[in-house]
Amino acid sequence: MSDYKALTPETLPARLGTLDAMTNSLGGSSTDWQVREVGDGNLNLVFIVEGTAGSVIVKQALPYVRLVGDSWPLPLKRAYFEYHALIRQAERDPGSVPEILHFDETQALIIMERLQPHIILRQQMIAGRKVAGLGETIGRFCARNAFRGSDLSMETAKKKADLALFSDNVELCDITENLVFTDPYFDAEMNRYTTPQLDGIVAELRNDQMLKVEVQHMKRAFSAKAETLCHGDLHAGSIMVTDDESRVIDPEFAFYGPMGFDIGMLIGNYLMAYHAISAHIADDTACAAYQEWVLETIDETWTAFCDEFSKLWRTERTGILYPRSLYEDQGHLMASELALEQLLGEIFEDLLGFAGIEMHRRILGLAHIAEFETIEDEDIRAPLETRSLKFGQALVMNRKRLHGIDRVIAMARQSQTGTGTS
Ligand code: SR1
Ligand code: MG
């Protein structure tokens, strides 16, 4: 920390101007570079640096939570975990994440490829614009990372060493343990929600004792089911898109956790976008069409996950779990397929639980999402948030009984017309 100093647009050219990563990408003299700080996330500084030959992103961790200020210190080492997660994701799903050009551990900064003309998926969805291939690309990303980062694939010594490395990402896991799995379910200090409109549903959720039991079962899975390297914060703000390309960014919350965590959090975000979109698209027909696209994307995400995971199961199962020596080599193909089916069933159950909890914390906790926050009229926002909260509750409580993504999609259509989940 002693040599660490936060960058500013004014100091950045002089401080980074001699790095090959910068000069090779940007060209010209550093004094001519244009620097803009564009970070709109909750934690870090993000700069776009433009030169005559190109542009790059410089991301630097701050020693505190940007959203809250220096009263909430946060270690700089999260940049180290982000760097290591990005390397692994690039290996496991080539082309899915921005290329890293330079990493400086002391300054907690990563210089990376600028994705252009990409924008954050959340902005694209609020604008009612589709992304061709989104479900397939990100479903495959989740499957490749879930499978290739686990004991199904990795050499066990490497997996254990990696688990040890990421186990030090304590403070960012602590954020998720509290902000996602605990605070929304009681009157925690940092919570905020649309009041008084949501007072009734909030009291109902916090008094739902069985819900609190189920949520803590999910928190136990988060903390104890160290199956694979998770992105840790996969939501519509962690995906950058054009109209036909999707890339994943921002894995600083990376940790070893359940295979259903990333895809579950993401599907929770899609379901919130689904519930919020009527406030953003005035035309009813266009709104209904966009909602159908969101549901298709959910379907395609899970289908792509299953297809890719199954393919890897059949072709890359080289780890200590479900060894081929017990199944295929004995001619017991049926047992192998059965084990795969059961594992996908367990991942799906976890996915539903995590999705439901994400739908609660983004409305009741500290960190909200723009899909709802940009609806200025609280009397329009609150009913949409209420449907989302009830939907989340239904997912958590029924996750063992909901077999197949079709059931979730049918429930979403009912939730929208007010005939479901209440
Ligand atoms: C204090 S950090 C709040 C949230 O921002 C991050 O993007 C994570 O989602 C975290 O929960
Ligand atoms: Mg982030």
Side-chain angles (χ1 to χ4, degrees):
M1 176 76 189
S2 56
D3 294 327
Y4 168 88
K5 205 165 170 27
L7 292 161
T8 67
E10 292 71 35
T11 61
L12 186 149
R15 287 185 57 196
L16 306 184
T18 57
L19 292 173
D20 285 350
M22 298 293 278
T23 53
N24 292 345
S25 306
L26 300 175
S29 156
S30 63
T31 51
D32 298 328
W33 295 346
Q34 303 292 312
V35 186
R36 278 178 293 144
E37 204 280 310
V38 294
D40 62 353
N42 296 328
L43 301 181
N44 306 297
L45 293 170
V46 180
F47 301 90
I48 293 177
V49 188
E50 292 174 292
T52 47
S55 56
V56 296
I57 293 290
V58 176
K59 178 173 179 181
Q60 187 179 35
L62 286 163
Y64 53 84
V65 174
R66 181 177 184 160
L67 174 70
V68 175
D70 54 14
S71 61
W72 186 348
L74 199 62
L76 298 171
K77 65 184 176 184
R78 63 188 188 272
Y80 171 84
F81 298 116
E82 175 161 358
Y83 166 71
H84 277 280
L86 281 168
I87 292 174
R88 285 153 182 73
Q89 290 166 349
E91 265 173 28
R92 290 168 188 165
D93 188 16
S96 62
V97 297
E99 185 191 347
I100 296 178
L101 306 173
H102 179 79
F103 171 58
D104 182 334
E105 191 174 349
T106 307
Q107 297 303 327
L109 73 81
I110 303 173
I111 303 173
M112 64 186 106
E113 172 191 6
R114 178 182 179 195
L115 302 174
Q116 217 182 4
H118 300 63
I119 63 167
I120 293 291
L121 172 61
R122 205 181 283 300
Q123 293 167 4
Q124 179 95 345
M125 294 183 89
I126 289 172
R129 284 171 58 180
K130 300 177 184 175
V131 181
L134 173 68
E136 199 184 335
T137 305
I138 306 299
R140 196 173 52 219
F141 169 86
C142 290
R144 287 182 175 170
N145 280 286
F147 190 94
R148 291 178 169 153
S150 78
D151 275 320
L152 291 169
S153 160
M154 285 177 85
E155 202 223 304
T156 186
K158 274 196 187 155
K159 194 253 179 176
K160 287 178 168 72
D162 220 42
L163 199 145
L165 186 151
F166 282 95
S167 70
D168 196 28
N169 203 3
V170 177
E171 292 79 4
L172 273 77
C173 284
D174 178 76
I175 288 179
T176 307
E177 287 148 13
N178 289 310
L179 294 192
V180 177
F181 291 101
T182 311
D183 289 4
Y185 303 98
F186 80 110
D187 185 19
E189 203 184 327
M190 286 189 295
N191 286 343
R192 62 194 176 86
Y193 64 83
T194 310
T195 184
Q197 291 89 339
L198 295 189
D199 289 357
I201 177 73
V202 171
E204 193 186 305
L205 291 176
R206 288 187 184 154
N207 283 320
D208 183 340
Q209 298 188 46
M210 293 319 296
L211 175 65
K212 290 197 289 186
V213 170
E214 295 305 323
V215 169
Q216 290 310 297
H217 286 326
M218 296 311 301
K219 184 175 177 180
R220 179 163 56 88
F222 173 86
S223 76
K225 212 170 179 181
E227 290 183 311
T228 194
L229 182 64
C230 297
H231 175 286
D233 195 25
L234 191 61
H235 52 74
S238 304
I239 298 176
M240 295 198 68
V241 298
T242 64
D243 289 343
D244 59 5
E245 199 191 82
S246 314
R247 309 275 288 271
V248 176
I249 60 168
D250 249 8
E252 69 200 311
F253 281 77
F255 75 110
Y256 269 82
M259 292 184 177
F261 184 73
D262 286 339
I263 190 169
M265 299 298 266
L266 181 63
I267 285 180
N269 276 265
Y270 289 158
L271 287 165
M272 283 185 282
Y274 173 85
H275 282 93
I277 202 68
S278 62
H280 300 289
I281 302 179
D283 180 77
D284 285 351
T285 310
C287 178
Y290 196 75
Q291 284 183 313
E292 280 305 307
W293 177 76
V294 175
L295 296 183
E296 268 167 39
T297 298
I298 292 171
D299 186 10
E300 284 167 12
T301 304
W302 175 242
T303 302
F305 182 97
C306 291
D307 289 351
E308 185 67 13
F309 196 94
S310 301
K311 189 177 105 193
L312 297 175
W313 175 277
R314 291 171 193 135
T315 57
E316 289 188 16
R317 216 170 72 248
T318 51
I320 56 169
L321 296 181
Y322 309 92
R324 302 181 76 82
S325 53
L326 281 187
Y327 301 111
E328 284 83 349
D329 295 354
Q330 307 294 330
H332 294 167
L333 294 180
M334 191 187 79
S336 169
E337 290 298 308
L338 198 61
L340 167 63
E341 209 48 43
Q342 289 176 1
L343 177 52
L344 286 172
E346 187 186 319
I347 294 171
F348 187 66
E349 186 185 314
D350 284 353
L351 173 164
L352 297 180
F354 293 129
I357 291 167
E358 174 72 353
M359 294 175 80
H360 290 162
R361 76 94 168 207
R362 293 292 188 183
I363 297 169
L364 306 179
L366 170 72
H368 288 215
I369 55 170
E371 284 87 336
F372 287 125
E373 290 298 282
T374 54
I375 307 173
E376 280 176 21
D377 185 336
E378 295 186 346
D379 291 326
I380 295 179
R381 188 204 306 158
L384 304 177
E385 289 179 322
T386 301
R387 284 179 187 168
S388 220
L389 289 171
K390 288 186 177 177
F391 199 88
Q393 182 184 28
L395 288 183
V396 174
M397 297 309 293
N398 294 296
R399 67 189 189 285
K400 292 182 194 303
R401 286 178 285 275
L402 279 167
H403 299 299
I405 200 72
D406 290 353
R407 298 302 311 137
V408 178
I409 288 170
M411 260 172 63
R413 292 200 181 102
Q414 287 168 349
S415 163
Q416 191 54 28
T417 56
T419 55
T421 68
S422 57

